[in-house]
Amino acid sequence: LSEVTTRYLKHYFDLHGDILPADGLYTRIMNEVERPLIEETLRRMKGNQVRVAKILGINRNTLRRRIQDLNISLQELA
């Protein structure tokens, strides 16, 4: 994952040349990674949020808030 991320970021910065990308790069990258991370883990754990929270190392309430904030549909993942 680290190698893929490094390659992507090098490419991303190369595309911008001498012009800096817009502010908020960290948030944009984290938003791109967080949703598939939660969705796939939920899918693999058949929607069991307690197990998903444990695997991800976050509190169950935090997981539930992130599911809601990211508009993740649990019906499609269980």
Side-chain angles (χ1 to χ4, degrees):
L1 184 58
S2 179
E3 289 178 24
V4 171
T5 304
T6 299
R7 279 196 311 265
Y8 173 80
L9 289 171
K10 284 180 180 180
H11 177 70
Y12 183 82
F13 279 103
D14 287 345
L15 287 175
H16 286 86
D18 293 334
I19 301 169
L20 292 176
D23 292 348
L25 179 60
Y26 178 84
T27 301
R28 286 195 309 275
I29 298 278
M30 294 312 292
N31 287 340
E32 290 292 323
V33 171
E34 185 179 28
R35 183 183 188 90
L37 173 64
I38 292 172
E39 286 179 336
E40 188 58 27
T41 308
L42 280 164
R43 191 174 292 112
R44 296 294 176 133
M45 296 299 109
K46 299 180 180 12
N48 184 325
Q49 293 180 33
V50 173
R51 292 203 58 207
V52 170
K54 187 173 181 177
I55 288 170
L56 296 179
I58 61 176
N59 183 283
R60 183 176 48 109
N61 291 330
T62 300
L63 174 63
R64 287 184 177 169
R65 186 177 65 248
R66 296 309 301 145
I67 289 169
Q68 184 178 12
D69 292 348
L70 295 167
N71 295 317
I72 294 173
S73 172
L74 297 174
Q75 289 76 23
E76 298 172 9
L77 301 172

